[in-house]
Amino acid sequence: MRKLFKHAALAAAVCTAAASTAAWAADAASNYPSKPVRLIAPFTPGAGTDTTARMLAKHMSEQWGQQVVVDNRTGAAGAIGVDLTAQASPDGYTICLISASHSVNSATNTKLPYDLTKDLQGISQATSLFYVVYVNSTVPAKTTKELIEYAKANPGKLNFSSSGTGGLQHFAGEMFNHLAKVKMVHVPFKGSAAGIIANLAGEVQVGFGTLFGVRPHWESGRFRVLAMTDSKRSPAVPNIPTVAESGVPGYEVDQWYGIIGGTKIPKPVINKIRDAIATALKDPVIIKRLARDGSTPVGSTPAEFTKHIQSEVNKWRKLAKDAGLQLH
């Protein structure tokens, strides 16, 4: 009988603790935010991540009547900003905007101080952004199939640029190499802009970049856009075919942006942040601004984005293994 009472008392204590935790979480959400929120942008000011972070921060500030401050914490391919988020107090007052490059980094770098899929949780995927595959005017290819044929006939002759080793542009090129069975040489630069300049100068011949960055040189005739990296054509540029439909089945690269936070942030707070992001992404002004560089708003749920991050990490880890890429 004593054991029965002891078990009953223990169960009651557990239930009371759970109820208290739930009540605290609900109360935290009802008062959130009661002070400024820090939105870490782990890349340089002016970059796409920074621009997107500032658009969202402005709209969220207006919704809440509480300031959302963008904090640029650069370094280590964006890992410094994410680590600060993982270590922050789990109250929802420090969140972070990441890009698809973070999933690549997490898939290939075993020395990161955090686990992107265990120490952090997705709040909402903000945007989806395709790259375009472009070549300079010295390359005698007007289609993706012609580029593949030329690369196979001239192994090692073509170089492709990226914004840095281990980033998404790098892996976009390596995925193309692997699936198309060609051997273009990777040449990393410090940022996308430097890669475009090198392409204009003829130091490299092929690139994977945003339509926003490539468009001026495409329209002037100095670059030739062959395909886009999304799984389906974009209404913004319907005449540009996808890489997959152009002879490389299974090819898809999405330079997405999204908001994450620590795993211990209460779900009601996470949901409140997600709702503010989703509302911001329905604003016609933001939709129009995103469309300028080929981005489309998403606004997924925390569960959906968390699952997407895990899927992306798995995809890039598999590519690194299958293609034998040694990065670190």
Side-chain angles (χ1 to χ4, degrees), residues 78-79 82-83 85-86 96 98-107 109 112-122 256 260-263 305-306 308-310 312-313 317:
V82 176
D83 189 38
T85 308
C96 181
I98 63 170
S99 73
S101 289
H102 285 89
S103 63
V104 175
N105 202 18
S106 291
N109 189 350
L112 289 174
Y114 58 83
D115 187 320
L116 188 63
T117 61
K118 294 180 180 179
D119 300 325
L120 297 125
Q121 62 179 312
W256 50 261
I260 60 170
T263 51
F305 188 38
T306 297
H308 182 66
I309 292 171
Q310 182 67 69
E312 288 281 281
V313 171
R317 185 173 288 146

PDB file of all heavy atoms in Angstrom, residues 78-79 82-83 85-86 96 98-107 109 112-122 256 260-263 305-306 308-310 312-313 317:
ATOM      1  N   GLY A  78      29.544  31.601 -41.396  1.00  0.00           N
ATOM      2  CA  GLY A  78      28.249  31.768 -40.752  1.00  0.00           C
ATOM      3  C   GLY A  78      28.072  30.995 -39.465  1.00  0.00           C
ATOM      4  O   GLY A  78      27.041  31.111 -38.797  1.00  0.00           O
ATOM      5  N   ALA A  79      29.084  30.228 -39.078  1.00  0.00           N
ATOM      6  CA  ALA A  79      28.960  29.372 -37.891  1.00  0.00           C
ATOM      7  C   ALA A  79      28.972  30.167 -36.591  1.00  0.00           C
ATOM      8  O   ALA A  79      28.352  29.757 -35.601  1.00  0.00           O
ATOM      9  CB  ALA A  79      30.079  28.333 -37.874  1.00  0.00           C
ATOM     10  N   VAL A  82      25.425  31.299 -35.667  1.00  0.00           N
ATOM     11  CA  VAL A  82      24.578  30.169 -35.282  1.00  0.00           C
ATOM     12  C   VAL A  82      24.966  29.667 -33.896  1.00  0.00           C
ATOM     13  O   VAL A  82      24.106  29.329 -33.073  1.00  0.00           O
ATOM     14  CB  VAL A  82      24.674  29.031 -36.317  1.00  0.00           C
ATOM     15  CG1 VAL A  82      23.866  27.816 -35.857  1.00  0.00           C
ATOM     16  CG2 VAL A  82      24.167  29.505 -37.667  1.00  0.00           C
ATOM     17  N   ASP A  83      26.267  29.631 -33.595  1.00  0.00           N
ATOM     18  CA  ASP A  83      26.727  29.176 -32.282  1.00  0.00           C
ATOM     19  C   ASP A  83      26.227  30.111 -31.179  1.00  0.00           C
ATOM     20  O   ASP A  83      25.835  29.655 -30.097  1.00  0.00           O
ATOM     21  CB  ASP A  83      28.254  29.100 -32.267  1.00  0.00           C
ATOM     22  CG  ASP A  83      28.785  28.425 -31.004  1.00  0.00           C
ATOM     23  OD1 ASP A  83      28.151  27.458 -30.538  1.00  0.00           O
ATOM     24  OD2 ASP A  83      29.820  28.876 -30.478  1.00  0.00           O
ATOM     25  N   THR A  85      23.507  31.736 -31.236  1.00  0.00           N
ATOM     26  CA  THR A  85      22.083  31.433 -31.090  1.00  0.00           C
ATOM     27  C   THR A  85      21.878  30.166 -30.268  1.00  0.00           C
ATOM     28  O   THR A  85      20.983  30.097 -29.420  1.00  0.00           O
ATOM     29  CB  THR A  85      21.435  31.265 -32.481  1.00  0.00           C
ATOM     30  OG1 THR A  85      21.743  32.405 -33.284  1.00  0.00           O
ATOM     31  CG2 THR A  85      19.934  31.122 -32.376  1.00  0.00           C
ATOM     32  N   ALA A  86      22.702  29.162 -30.514  1.00  0.00           N
ATOM     33  CA  ALA A  86      22.593  27.894 -29.782  1.00  0.00           C
ATOM     34  C   ALA A  86      22.887  28.086 -28.298  1.00  0.00           C
ATOM     35  O   ALA A  86      22.292  27.407 -27.446  1.00  0.00           O
ATOM     36  CB  ALA A  86      23.548  26.865 -30.384  1.00  0.00           C
ATOM     37  N   CYS A  96      17.953  33.556 -35.217  1.00  0.00           N
ATOM     38  CA  CYS A  96      18.984  33.691 -36.244  1.00  0.00           C
ATOM     39  C   CYS A  96      18.420  33.366 -37.622  1.00  0.00           C
ATOM     40  O   CYS A  96      17.614  32.432 -37.777  1.00  0.00           O
ATOM     41  CB  CYS A  96      20.139  32.736 -35.927  1.00  0.00           C
ATOM     42  SG  CYS A  96      21.530  32.782 -37.070  1.00  0.00           S
ATOM     43  N   ILE A  98      19.350  31.896 -41.152  1.00  0.00           N
ATOM     44  CA  ILE A  98      20.379  31.104 -41.812  1.00  0.00           C
ATOM     45  C   ILE A  98      20.027  30.910 -43.281  1.00  0.00           C
ATOM     46  O   ILE A  98      18.913  31.193 -43.708  1.00  0.00           O
ATOM     47  CB  ILE A  98      20.573  29.727 -41.137  1.00  0.00           C
ATOM     48  CG1 ILE A  98      19.287  28.887 -41.256  1.00  0.00           C
ATOM     49  CG2 ILE A  98      21.006  29.895 -39.699  1.00  0.00           C
ATOM     50  CD1 ILE A  98      19.455  27.428 -40.832  1.00  0.00           C
ATOM     51  N   SER A  99      21.004  30.417 -44.028  1.00  0.00           N
ATOM     52  CA  SER A  99      20.787  30.112 -45.443  1.00  0.00           C
ATOM     53  C   SER A  99      21.066  28.632 -45.681  1.00  0.00           C
ATOM     54  O   SER A  99      21.539  27.922 -44.792  1.00  0.00           O
ATOM     55  CB  SER A  99      21.712  30.962 -46.320  1.00  0.00           C
ATOM     56  OG  SER A  99      23.039  30.489 -46.229  1.00  0.00           O
ATOM     57  N   ALA A 100      20.814  28.184 -46.888  1.00  0.00           N
ATOM     58  CA  ALA A 100      21.059  26.786 -47.247  1.00  0.00           C
ATOM     59  C   ALA A 100      22.526  26.405 -47.056  1.00  0.00           C
ATOM     60  O   ALA A 100      22.850  25.236 -46.832  1.00  0.00           O
ATOM     61  CB  ALA A 100      20.637  26.533 -48.686  1.00  0.00           C
ATOM     62  N   SER A 101      23.423  27.394 -47.134  1.00  0.00           N
ATOM     63  CA  SER A 101      24.849  27.106 -46.941  1.00  0.00           C
ATOM     64  C   SER A 101      25.138  26.534 -45.560  1.00  0.00           C
ATOM     65  O   SER A 101      26.100  25.782 -45.379  1.00  0.00           O
ATOM     66  CB  SER A 101      25.680  28.372 -47.153  1.00  0.00           C
ATOM     67  OG  SER A 101      25.710  28.735 -48.518  1.00  0.00           O
ATOM     68  N   HIS A 102      24.306  26.873 -44.583  1.00  0.00           N
ATOM     69  CA  HIS A 102      24.512  26.318 -43.242  1.00  0.00           C
ATOM     70  C   HIS A 102      24.259  24.819 -43.217  1.00  0.00           C
ATOM     71  O   HIS A 102      24.899  24.079 -42.462  1.00  0.00           O
ATOM     72  CB  HIS A 102      23.602  27.026 -42.235  1.00  0.00           C
ATOM     73  CG  HIS A 102      24.060  28.402 -41.865  1.00  0.00           C
ATOM     74  ND1 HIS A 102      23.686  29.524 -42.558  1.00  0.00           N
ATOM     75  CD2 HIS A 102      24.893  28.828 -40.885  1.00  0.00           C
ATOM     76  CE1 HIS A 102      24.249  30.585 -42.004  1.00  0.00           C
ATOM     77  NE2 HIS A 102      24.989  30.195 -41.000  1.00  0.00           N
ATOM     78  N   SER A 103      23.339  24.344 -44.051  1.00  0.00           N
ATOM     79  CA  SER A 103      23.095  22.900 -44.108  1.00  0.00           C
ATOM     80  C   SER A 103      24.269  22.185 -44.766  1.00  0.00           C
ATOM     81  O   SER A 103      24.631  21.075 -44.380  1.00  0.00           O
ATOM     82  CB  SER A 103      21.797  22.597 -44.849  1.00  0.00           C
ATOM     83  OG  SER A 103      21.847  23.009 -46.201  1.00  0.00           O
ATOM     84  N   VAL A 104      24.893  22.844 -45.745  1.00  0.00           N
ATOM     85  CA  VAL A 104      26.085  22.277 -46.379  1.00  0.00           C
ATOM     86  C   VAL A 104      27.217  22.197 -45.364  1.00  0.00           C
ATOM     87  O   VAL A 104      27.899  21.174 -45.231  1.00  0.00           O
ATOM     88  CB  VAL A 104      26.525  23.129 -47.582  1.00  0.00           C
ATOM     89  CG1 VAL A 104      27.840  22.600 -48.157  1.00  0.00           C
ATOM     90  CG2 VAL A 104      25.455  23.127 -48.670  1.00  0.00           C
ATOM     91  N   ASN A 105      27.419  23.291 -44.631  1.00  0.00           N
ATOM     92  CA  ASN A 105      28.485  23.342 -43.630  1.00  0.00           C
ATOM     93  C   ASN A 105      28.283  22.269 -42.560  1.00  0.00           C
ATOM     94  O   ASN A 105      29.230  21.591 -42.141  1.00  0.00           O
ATOM     95  CB  ASN A 105      28.517  24.735 -42.988  1.00  0.00           C
ATOM     96  CG  ASN A 105      29.864  25.056 -42.363  1.00  0.00           C
ATOM     97  OD1 ASN A 105      30.869  24.421 -42.663  1.00  0.00           O
ATOM     98  ND2 ASN A 105      29.875  26.047 -41.499  1.00  0.00           N
ATOM     99  N   SER A 106      27.043  22.103 -42.120  1.00  0.00           N
ATOM    100  CA  SER A 106      26.749  21.101 -41.096  1.00  0.00           C
ATOM    101  C   SER A 106      26.921  19.676 -41.627  1.00  0.00           C
ATOM    102  O   SER A 106      27.247  18.763 -40.874  1.00  0.00           O
ATOM    103  CB  SER A 106      25.319  21.284 -40.582  1.00  0.00           C
ATOM    104  OG  SER A 106      25.211  22.479 -39.839  1.00  0.00           O
ATOM    105  N   ALA A 107      26.719  19.515 -42.924  1.00  0.00           N
ATOM    106  CA  ALA A 107      26.860  18.190 -43.530  1.00  0.00           C
ATOM    107  C   ALA A 107      28.319  17.773 -43.697  1.00  0.00           C
ATOM    108  O   ALA A 107      28.626  16.583 -43.736  1.00  0.00           O
ATOM    109  CB  ALA A 107      26.166  18.163 -44.892  1.00  0.00           C
ATOM    110  N   ASN A 109      31.267  19.637 -42.090  1.00  0.00           N
ATOM    111  CA  ASN A 109      32.231  20.095 -41.089  1.00  0.00           C
ATOM    112  C   ASN A 109      31.938  19.443 -39.737  1.00  0.00           C
ATOM    113  O   ASN A 109      30.978  19.795 -39.055  1.00  0.00           O
ATOM    114  CB  ASN A 109      32.168  21.621 -40.966  1.00  0.00           C
ATOM    115  CG  ASN A 109      33.282  22.180 -40.102  1.00  0.00           C
ATOM    116  OD1 ASN A 109      34.009  21.434 -39.437  1.00  0.00           O
ATOM    117  ND2 ASN A 109      33.430  23.490 -40.096  1.00  0.00           N
ATOM    118  N   LEU A 112      32.237  21.752 -36.071  1.00  0.00           N
ATOM    119  CA  LEU A 112      31.357  22.830 -35.643  1.00  0.00           C
ATOM    120  C   LEU A 112      31.050  22.703 -34.151  1.00  0.00           C
ATOM    121  O   LEU A 112      30.905  21.590 -33.637  1.00  0.00           O
ATOM    122  CB  LEU A 112      30.040  22.785 -36.432  1.00  0.00           C
ATOM    123  CG  LEU A 112      30.102  23.179 -37.912  1.00  0.00           C
ATOM    124  CD1 LEU A 112      28.747  22.934 -38.570  1.00  0.00           C
ATOM    125  CD2 LEU A 112      30.511  24.629 -38.072  1.00  0.00           C
ATOM    126  N   PRO A 113      30.922  23.816 -33.443  1.00  0.00           N
ATOM    127  CA  PRO A 113      30.656  23.757 -31.998  1.00  0.00           C
ATOM    128  C   PRO A 113      29.196  23.442 -31.669  1.00  0.00           C
ATOM    129  O   PRO A 113      28.820  23.395 -30.500  1.00  0.00           O
ATOM    130  CB  PRO A 113      31.030  25.176 -31.529  1.00  0.00           C
ATOM    131  CG  PRO A 113      30.781  26.037 -32.723  1.00  0.00           C
ATOM    132  CD  PRO A 113      31.153  25.198 -33.915  1.00  0.00           C
ATOM    133  N   TYR A 114      28.377  23.250 -32.669  1.00  0.00           N
ATOM    134  CA  TYR A 114      26.959  22.961 -32.464  1.00  0.00           C
ATOM    135  C   TYR A 114      26.509  21.922 -33.479  1.00  0.00           C
ATOM    136  O   TYR A 114      27.170  21.672 -34.483  1.00  0.00           O
ATOM    137  CB  TYR A 114      26.119  24.232 -32.640  1.00  0.00           C
ATOM    138  CG  TYR A 114      26.290  24.865 -34.015  1.00  0.00           C
ATOM    139  CD1 TYR A 114      25.567  24.412 -35.124  1.00  0.00           C
ATOM    140  CD2 TYR A 114      27.214  25.886 -34.220  1.00  0.00           C
ATOM    141  CE1 TYR A 114      25.765  24.958 -36.389  1.00  0.00           C
ATOM    142  CE2 TYR A 114      27.410  26.441 -35.482  1.00  0.00           C
ATOM    143  CZ  TYR A 114      26.679  25.977 -36.555  1.00  0.00           C
ATOM    144  OH  TYR A 114      26.879  26.513 -37.811  1.00  0.00           O
ATOM    145  N   ASP A 115      25.368  21.308 -33.198  1.00  0.00           N
ATOM    146  CA  ASP A 115      24.719  20.402 -34.147  1.00  0.00           C
ATOM    147  C   ASP A 115      23.461  21.114 -34.619  1.00  0.00           C
ATOM    148  O   ASP A 115      22.535  21.334 -33.827  1.00  0.00           O
ATOM    149  CB  ASP A 115      24.375  19.075 -33.466  1.00  0.00           C
ATOM    150  CG  ASP A 115      23.843  18.032 -34.450  1.00  0.00           C
ATOM    151  OD1 ASP A 115      23.061  18.423 -35.349  1.00  0.00           O
ATOM    152  OD2 ASP A 115      24.186  16.852 -34.313  1.00  0.00           O
ATOM    153  N   LEU A 116      23.428  21.462 -35.894  1.00  0.00           N
ATOM    154  CA  LEU A 116      22.313  22.244 -36.433  1.00  0.00           C
ATOM    155  C   LEU A 116      20.976  21.538 -36.262  1.00  0.00           C
ATOM    156  O   LEU A 116      19.936  22.188 -36.115  1.00  0.00           O
ATOM    157  CB  LEU A 116      22.559  22.533 -37.920  1.00  0.00           C
ATOM    158  CG  LEU A 116      21.592  23.489 -38.615  1.00  0.00           C
ATOM    159  CD1 LEU A 116      21.666  24.884 -37.999  1.00  0.00           C
ATOM    160  CD2 LEU A 116      21.902  23.574 -40.111  1.00  0.00           C
ATOM    161  N   THR A 117      20.970  20.211 -36.253  1.00  0.00           N
ATOM    162  CA  THR A 117      19.724  19.455 -36.176  1.00  0.00           C
ATOM    163  C   THR A 117      19.358  19.030 -34.759  1.00  0.00           C
ATOM    164  O   THR A 117      18.269  18.495 -34.543  1.00  0.00           O
ATOM    165  CB  THR A 117      19.804  18.194 -37.064  1.00  0.00           C
ATOM    166  OG1 THR A 117      20.864  17.350 -36.590  1.00  0.00           O
ATOM    167  CG2 THR A 117      20.076  18.565 -38.514  1.00  0.00           C
ATOM    168  N   LYS A 118      20.251  19.284 -33.788  1.00  0.00           N
ATOM    169  CA  LYS A 118      19.966  18.879 -32.407  1.00  0.00           C
ATOM    170  C   LYS A 118      19.962  20.059 -31.430  1.00  0.00           C
ATOM    171  O   LYS A 118      19.176  20.078 -30.478  1.00  0.00           O
ATOM    172  CB  LYS A 118      20.985  17.835 -31.945  1.00  0.00           C
ATOM    173  CG  LYS A 118      20.893  16.510 -32.693  1.00  0.00           C
ATOM    174  CD  LYS A 118      21.929  15.524 -32.189  1.00  0.00           C
ATOM    175  CE  LYS A 118      21.829  14.192 -32.948  1.00  0.00           C
ATOM    176  NZ  LYS A 118      22.849  13.219 -32.497  1.00  0.00           N
ATOM    177  N   ASP A 119      20.853  21.018 -31.638  1.00  0.00           N
ATOM    178  CA  ASP A 119      20.965  22.145 -30.719  1.00  0.00           C
ATOM    179  C   ASP A 119      20.079  23.320 -31.111  1.00  0.00           C
ATOM    180  O   ASP A 119      19.944  24.280 -30.355  1.00  0.00           O
ATOM    181  CB  ASP A 119      22.426  22.628 -30.639  1.00  0.00           C
ATOM    182  CG  ASP A 119      23.371  21.541 -30.151  1.00  0.00           C
ATOM    183  OD1 ASP A 119      22.934  20.743 -29.296  1.00  0.00           O
ATOM    184  OD2 ASP A 119      24.523  21.476 -30.616  1.00  0.00           O
ATOM    185  N   LEU A 120      19.514  23.238 -32.313  1.00  0.00           N
ATOM    186  CA  LEU A 120      18.667  24.322 -32.803  1.00  0.00           C
ATOM    187  C   LEU A 120      17.414  23.754 -33.448  1.00  0.00           C
ATOM    188  O   LEU A 120      17.393  22.591 -33.850  1.00  0.00           O
ATOM    189  CB  LEU A 120      19.444  25.181 -33.810  1.00  0.00           C
ATOM    190  CG  LEU A 120      20.662  25.870 -33.191  1.00  0.00           C
ATOM    191  CD1 LEU A 120      21.914  25.522 -33.962  1.00  0.00           C
ATOM    192  CD2 LEU A 120      20.464  27.372 -33.101  1.00  0.00           C
ATOM    193  N   GLN A 121      16.386  24.575 -33.539  1.00  0.00           N
ATOM    194  CA  GLN A 121      15.141  24.136 -34.165  1.00  0.00           C
ATOM    195  C   GLN A 121      14.685  25.160 -35.197  1.00  0.00           C
ATOM    196  O   GLN A 121      14.952  26.362 -35.072  1.00  0.00           O
ATOM    197  CB  GLN A 121      14.041  23.949 -33.122  1.00  0.00           C
ATOM    198  CG  GLN A 121      13.657  25.209 -32.366  1.00  0.00           C
ATOM    199  CD  GLN A 121      12.538  24.974 -31.365  1.00  0.00           C
ATOM    200  OE1 GLN A 121      11.518  24.358 -31.703  1.00  0.00           O
ATOM    201  NE2 GLN A 121      12.713  25.440 -30.134  1.00  0.00           N
ATOM    202  N   GLY A 122      14.035  24.673 -36.223  1.00  0.00           N
ATOM    203  CA  GLY A 122      13.502  25.571 -37.224  1.00  0.00           C
ATOM    204  C   GLY A 122      12.293  26.322 -36.695  1.00  0.00           C
ATOM    205  O   GLY A 122      11.489  25.762 -35.949  1.00  0.00           O
ATOM    206  N   TRP A 256      17.746  28.712 -49.930  1.00  0.00           N
ATOM    207  CA  TRP A 256      16.684  29.168 -49.037  1.00  0.00           C
ATOM    208  C   TRP A 256      17.242  29.945 -47.850  1.00  0.00           C
ATOM    209  O   TRP A 256      18.397  29.793 -47.461  1.00  0.00           O
ATOM    210  CB  TRP A 256      15.848  27.981 -48.551  1.00  0.00           C
ATOM    211  CG  TRP A 256      16.651  26.825 -47.993  1.00  0.00           C
ATOM    212  CD1 TRP A 256      16.989  25.671 -48.641  1.00  0.00           C
ATOM    213  CD2 TRP A 256      17.220  26.716 -46.668  1.00  0.00           C
ATOM    214  NE1 TRP A 256      17.737  24.849 -47.822  1.00  0.00           N
ATOM    215  CE2 TRP A 256      17.876  25.461 -46.597  1.00  0.00           C
ATOM    216  CE3 TRP A 256      17.224  27.535 -45.546  1.00  0.00           C
ATOM    217  CZ2 TRP A 256      18.530  25.017 -45.451  1.00  0.00           C
ATOM    218  CZ3 TRP A 256      17.888  27.111 -44.393  1.00  0.00           C
ATOM    219  CH2 TRP A 256      18.527  25.860 -44.354  1.00  0.00           C
ATOM    220  N   ILE A 260      15.841  30.333 -37.260  1.00  0.00           N
ATOM    221  CA  ILE A 260      15.997  29.251 -36.294  1.00  0.00           C
ATOM    222  C   ILE A 260      16.170  29.815 -34.890  1.00  0.00           C
ATOM    223  O   ILE A 260      16.420  31.003 -34.706  1.00  0.00           O
ATOM    224  CB  ILE A 260      17.212  28.354 -36.628  1.00  0.00           C
ATOM    225  CG1 ILE A 260      18.515  29.187 -36.616  1.00  0.00           C
ATOM    226  CG2 ILE A 260      17.030  27.650 -37.965  1.00  0.00           C
ATOM    227  CD1 ILE A 260      19.790  28.355 -36.695  1.00  0.00           C
ATOM    228  N   GLY A 261      16.033  28.943 -33.893  1.00  0.00           N
ATOM    229  CA  GLY A 261      16.269  29.311 -32.505  1.00  0.00           C
ATOM    230  C   GLY A 261      16.738  28.087 -31.743  1.00  0.00           C
ATOM    231  O   GLY A 261      16.749  26.970 -32.285  1.00  0.00           O
ATOM    232  N   GLY A 262      17.108  28.278 -30.493  1.00  0.00           N
ATOM    233  CA  GLY A 262      17.545  27.157 -29.672  1.00  0.00           C
ATOM    234  C   GLY A 262      16.429  26.151 -29.448  1.00  0.00           C
ATOM    235  O   GLY A 262      15.243  26.495 -29.444  1.00  0.00           O
ATOM    236  N   THR A 263      16.786  24.890 -29.236  1.00  0.00           N
ATOM    237  CA  THR A 263      15.781  23.822 -29.107  1.00  0.00           C
ATOM    238  C   THR A 263      14.940  23.949 -27.835  1.00  0.00           C
ATOM    239  O   THR A 263      13.845  23.388 -27.770  1.00  0.00           O
ATOM    240  CB  THR A 263      16.453  22.435 -29.098  1.00  0.00           C
ATOM    241  OG1 THR A 263      17.506  22.418 -28.127  1.00  0.00           O
ATOM    242  CG2 THR A 263      17.023  22.104 -30.451  1.00  0.00           C
ATOM    243  N   PHE A 305       9.927  23.281 -41.235  1.00  0.00           N
ATOM    244  CA  PHE A 305      11.269  23.813 -41.482  1.00  0.00           C
ATOM    245  C   PHE A 305      12.332  22.951 -40.805  1.00  0.00           C
ATOM    246  O   PHE A 305      13.403  22.723 -41.362  1.00  0.00           O
ATOM    247  CB  PHE A 305      11.364  25.263 -41.002  1.00  0.00           C
ATOM    248  CG  PHE A 305      12.662  25.940 -41.398  1.00  0.00           C
ATOM    249  CD1 PHE A 305      13.246  25.700 -42.633  1.00  0.00           C
ATOM    250  CD2 PHE A 305      13.295  26.824 -40.530  1.00  0.00           C
ATOM    251  CE1 PHE A 305      14.446  26.311 -42.997  1.00  0.00           C
ATOM    252  CE2 PHE A 305      14.481  27.445 -40.883  1.00  0.00           C
ATOM    253  CZ  PHE A 305      15.063  27.189 -42.113  1.00  0.00           C
ATOM    254  N   THR A 306      12.044  22.474 -39.606  1.00  0.00           N
ATOM    255  CA  THR A 306      12.992  21.591 -38.920  1.00  0.00           C
ATOM    256  C   THR A 306      13.252  20.342 -39.760  1.00  0.00           C
ATOM    257  O   THR A 306      14.400  19.897 -39.919  1.00  0.00           O
ATOM    258  CB  THR A 306      12.452  21.191 -37.534  1.00  0.00           C
ATOM    259  OG1 THR A 306      12.329  22.377 -36.721  1.00  0.00           O
ATOM    260  CG2 THR A 306      13.390  20.215 -36.832  1.00  0.00           C
ATOM    261  N   HIS A 308      12.859  20.123 -42.998  1.00  0.00           N
ATOM    262  CA  HIS A 308      13.552  20.544 -44.217  1.00  0.00           C
ATOM    263  C   HIS A 308      15.056  20.681 -43.971  1.00  0.00           C
ATOM    264  O   HIS A 308      15.873  20.273 -44.808  1.00  0.00           O
ATOM    265  CB  HIS A 308      12.985  21.867 -44.708  1.00  0.00           C
ATOM    266  CG  HIS A 308      13.600  22.363 -45.980  1.00  0.00           C
ATOM    267  ND1 HIS A 308      13.458  21.710 -47.183  1.00  0.00           N
ATOM    268  CD2 HIS A 308      14.399  23.450 -46.236  1.00  0.00           C
ATOM    269  CE1 HIS A 308      14.116  22.362 -48.134  1.00  0.00           C
ATOM    270  NE2 HIS A 308      14.693  23.420 -47.585  1.00  0.00           N
ATOM    271  N   ILE A 309      15.429  21.256 -42.837  1.00  0.00           N
ATOM    272  CA  ILE A 309      16.846  21.407 -42.507  1.00  0.00           C
ATOM    273  C   ILE A 309      17.526  20.045 -42.455  1.00  0.00           C
ATOM    274  O   ILE A 309      18.600  19.831 -43.017  1.00  0.00           O
ATOM    275  CB  ILE A 309      17.024  22.148 -41.164  1.00  0.00           C
ATOM    276  CG1 ILE A 309      16.581  23.610 -41.293  1.00  0.00           C
ATOM    277  CG2 ILE A 309      18.485  22.094 -40.706  1.00  0.00           C
ATOM    278  CD1 ILE A 309      16.520  24.354 -39.968  1.00  0.00           C
ATOM    279  N   GLN A 310      16.890  19.085 -41.761  1.00  0.00           N
ATOM    280  CA  GLN A 310      17.452  17.735 -41.661  1.00  0.00           C
ATOM    281  C   GLN A 310      17.596  17.097 -43.037  1.00  0.00           C
ATOM    282  O   GLN A 310      18.624  16.472 -43.342  1.00  0.00           O
ATOM    283  CB  GLN A 310      16.556  16.862 -40.784  1.00  0.00           C
ATOM    284  CG  GLN A 310      17.078  15.444 -40.583  1.00  0.00           C
ATOM    285  CD  GLN A 310      18.347  15.391 -39.774  1.00  0.00           C
ATOM    286  OE1 GLN A 310      18.347  15.660 -38.583  1.00  0.00           O
ATOM    287  NE2 GLN A 310      19.471  15.053 -40.422  1.00  0.00           N
ATOM    288  N   GLU A 312      17.990  18.620 -45.917  1.00  0.00           N
ATOM    289  CA  GLU A 312      19.065  19.285 -46.648  1.00  0.00           C
ATOM    290  C   GLU A 312      20.436  18.817 -46.177  1.00  0.00           C
ATOM    291  O   GLU A 312      21.338  18.578 -46.983  1.00  0.00           O
ATOM    292  CB  GLU A 312      18.940  20.801 -46.482  1.00  0.00           C
ATOM    293  CG  GLU A 312      17.789  21.411 -47.246  1.00  0.00           C
ATOM    294  CD  GLU A 312      18.108  21.585 -48.730  1.00  0.00           C
ATOM    295  OE1 GLU A 312      18.805  22.551 -49.086  1.00  0.00           O
ATOM    296  OE2 GLU A 312      17.664  20.739 -49.521  1.00  0.00           O
ATOM    297  N   VAL A 313      20.602  18.691 -44.865  1.00  0.00           N
ATOM    298  CA  VAL A 313      21.874  18.198 -44.330  1.00  0.00           C
ATOM    299  C   VAL A 313      22.158  16.798 -44.874  1.00  0.00           C
ATOM    300  O   VAL A 313      23.279  16.494 -45.307  1.00  0.00           O
ATOM    301  CB  VAL A 313      21.855  18.186 -42.785  1.00  0.00           C
ATOM    302  CG1 VAL A 313      23.087  17.465 -42.235  1.00  0.00           C
ATOM    303  CG2 VAL A 313      21.805  19.612 -42.235  1.00  0.00           C
ATOM    304  N   ARG A 317      25.312  15.791 -47.324  1.00  0.00           N
ATOM    305  CA  ARG A 317      26.242  14.797 -46.770  1.00  0.00           C
ATOM    306  C   ARG A 317      26.397  13.628 -47.745  1.00  0.00           C
ATOM    307  O   ARG A 317      27.505  13.113 -47.951  1.00  0.00           O
ATOM    308  CB  ARG A 317      25.726  14.314 -45.414  1.00  0.00           C
ATOM    309  CG  ARG A 317      26.671  13.358 -44.693  1.00  0.00           C
ATOM    310  CD  ARG A 317      26.147  13.073 -43.301  1.00  0.00           C
ATOM    311  NE  ARG A 317      26.302  14.233 -42.437  1.00  0.00           N
ATOM    312  CZ  ARG A 317      25.445  14.582 -41.467  1.00  0.00           C
ATOM    313  NH1 ARG A 317      24.366  13.859 -41.261  1.00  0.00           N
ATOM    314  NH2 ARG A 317      25.673  15.654 -40.730  1.00  0.00           N
TER     315      ARG A 317
END
